[in-house]
Amino acid sequence: MVAAIAATVTISIAAASAPADPIEKSVEQVATTTTSTTVPTTTTVPTTTTVPTTTTVPTTTTSPTTTTSPTTTTVPPTTTTVPPKPILLSRGTAPTPTLPAEEVSHPDSGVQPYKHGSDKMCWEWIDLAREAGWPEDTLSKLGYIMYRESRCNPDAWNQADPTSDGSRGLTQINGFWCRPSQYNPDGYLQTFYPGLLPNGVCSDLHDPAVNLRAAKALYDYGVERGSNPWRPWSM
């Protein structure tokens, strides 16, 4: 029995002196540890700002605008001369001015003036041109050509024309058409229009009727060849 008690005492002492489990000791230390942390969070930021905004701008402006401009103008008296009134005929019609012979209009001709106006037409030769065979639709331009070339003067002779015989008559036909040449020993008009020039010479072109018939022959020359029939007169 004494041995049994001794054994029990020995076991108890061994159990009491045995070291504790390190895991359990760590758990106990964590469980019994008190964590105390104090963080001061009080912050004071002064935000008071004072900005003076008072501004004074003087805006008083004085501009004198008084202007004195004298505008006195002296206008001299106007003297007007009234021309004498024309002598009136019956029923208050004024006398018709007299025009030069080459500018006299012939209303009975039935031909309208060419585009340059009635004062640039040889009206007195229109009927003779009809007799020479000129078509009605050519008479207006022909009337102007006679005025431009000779001022309606059948005796006009431009000896400065670049041919051996110059240009003659109402339409100023060039001597090229009537003087002898290599191709027409008797002259073009004499060869192709026998009897047109009564004496067979260029001076025959001063006859108004002969000149207008010769001009018509030159016009027909262009028509027959499908070219510009007014080419001899640069029209």
Side-chain angles (χ1 to χ4, degrees):
M1 179 150 176
V2 176
I5 293 171
T8 301
V9 173
T10 302
I11 293 170
S12 297
I13 292 172
S17 61
D21 187 352
I23 295 176
E24 290 180 359
K25 185 176 181 181
S26 296
V27 172
E28 288 177 357
Q29 288 178 351
V30 171
T32 59
T33 301
T34 302
T35 303
S36 176
T37 304
T38 303
V39 179
T41 60
T42 303
T43 304
T44 303
V45 179
T47 60
T48 303
T49 303
T50 304
V51 179
T53 60
T54 303
T55 304
T56 303
V57 179
T59 60
T60 304
T61 303
T62 303
S63 300
T65 59
T66 304
T67 303
T68 304
S69 298
T71 59
T72 304
T73 303
T74 303
V75 179
T78 302
T79 303
T80 303
T81 303
V82 179
K85 295 182 179 179
I87 300 174
L88 300 181
L89 304 179
S90 60
R91 298 186 182 180
T93 57
T96 303
T98 302
L99 299 178
E102 67 272 18
E103 295 185 357
V104 174
S105 174
H106 292 270
D108 295 336
S109 68
V111 176
Q112 294 294 324
Y114 195 57
K115 61 184 179 181
H116 298 290
S118 61
D119 60 334
K120 293 179 174 59
M121 293 282 291
C122 293
W123 297 106
E124 63 269 43
W125 302 115
I126 295 297
D127 287 339
L128 189 61
R130 285 192 179 100
E131 295 176 10
W134 284 88
E136 286 293 321
D137 60 354
T138 64
L139 294 177
S140 177
K141 183 178 286 189
L142 176 63
Y144 169 69
I145 286 176
M146 288 188 288
Y147 175 84
R148 189 192 70 177
E149 296 291 329
S150 67
R151 291 298 189 269
C152 311
N153 179 11
D155 294 326
W157 182 15
N158 179 14
Q159 300 183 53
D161 198 284
T163 68
S164 61
D165 197 55
S167 297
R168 298 174 183 265
L170 287 174
T171 61
Q172 290 291 282
I173 294 178
N174 194 285
F176 167 82
W177 299 100
C178 57
R179 62 183 173 86
S181 66
Q182 176 183 354
Y183 303 102
N184 298 296
D186 294 328
Y188 175 84
L189 291 174
Q190 296 90 324
T191 300
F192 292 96
Y193 297 91
L196 178 60
L197 301 180
N199 300 306
V201 292
C202 291
S203 59
D204 289 339
L205 294 171
H206 289 293
D207 183 316
V210 172
N211 189 281
L212 288 171
R213 287 196 298 269
K216 177 61 166 52
L218 302 185
Y219 178 88
D220 291 342
Y221 178 87
V223 172
E224 292 168 0
R225 285 158 178 75
S227 60
N228 176 16
W230 300 104
R231 184 177 178 181
W233 301 278
S234 301
M235 293 286 287

